[in-house]
Amino acid sequence: MTHEQKFLFDLKGYVLKPGVLAPDLVGELKEYCQKLRRDRDSLPPHERALPGGPAAELIDHPEVMDIVSDVLEHRRERVRLESAFFSHRTLNDDAKVFPHGGVRTVYPNYNYNYHDGQIYSGMLRVVFELEPV
């Protein structure tokens, strides 16, 4: 991460990286998510849950792993995927979406610290937006 990205992450709790997915992959992911949502049985059994199909390419995406290495764990072999899900929203949804769910936790495993230019965090969520936001 750049110094500016680290500053913004420390300030806001997230960093945005637009345009990291190739347009072809975005199209495949949209189609896959629609099938998961509407016609799961049309997919091969091993693709009926995330991170299957083209979503598997997102697990260790280089743009994500660079941030994971700086924020969560510096030894990549110790990183694990805890869960994966997708959300479907429409233009008319009234619900507001907050990057941190709108809550503050005191659970020690989710603590976040910044010391001597280094971020330390016990948990990190990665979100791929497939539509402009």
Side-chain angles (χ1 to χ4, degrees):
M1 292 173 70
T2 67
H3 290 296
E4 181 181 2
Q5 287 172 325
K6 285 183 181 183
F7 173 78
L8 291 172
F9 189 91
D10 189 43
L11 179 68
K12 296 181 176 186
Y14 60 92
V15 64
L16 302 175
K17 294 191 86 171
V20 299
L21 300 179
D24 290 347
L25 179 57
V26 171
E28 291 175 34
L29 288 164
K30 286 181 183 182
E31 182 180 334
Y32 174 68
C33 288
Q34 287 299 328
K35 285 183 180 178
L36 276 178
R37 193 168 156 256
R38 293 192 172 132
D39 191 14
R40 189 177 303 258
D41 292 340
S42 71
L43 295 166
H46 64 282
E47 292 185 8
R48 292 180 186 165
L50 288 171
E57 293 187 40
L58 304 179
I59 294 172
D60 60 352
H61 193 283
E63 295 281 347
V64 170
M65 292 309 294
D66 287 346
I67 293 174
V68 167
S69 293
D70 282 345
V71 173
L72 190 60
E73 177 59 62
H74 309 288
R75 294 179 7 210
R76 291 183 180 192
E77 70 275 8
R78 293 182 58 183
V79 174
R80 73 173 190 268
L81 174 64
E82 184 78 19
S83 63
F85 64 92
F86 78 94
S87 298
H88 179 266
R89 297 186 310 260
T90 64
L91 185 61
N92 298 323
D93 284 347
D94 289 333
K96 291 185 179 183
V97 178
F98 298 98
H100 300 286
V103 298
R104 181 176 175 92
T105 183
V106 294
Y107 190 63
N109 288 352
Y110 304 145
N111 278 351
Y112 169 84
N113 295 289
Y114 185 85
H115 182 69
D116 288 337
Q118 181 59 54
I119 296 171
Y120 299 93
S121 179
M123 184 178 182
L124 179 71
R125 174 177 285 169
V126 176
V127 176
F128 289 94
E129 293 286 352
L130 303 180
E131 295 289 341
V133 292

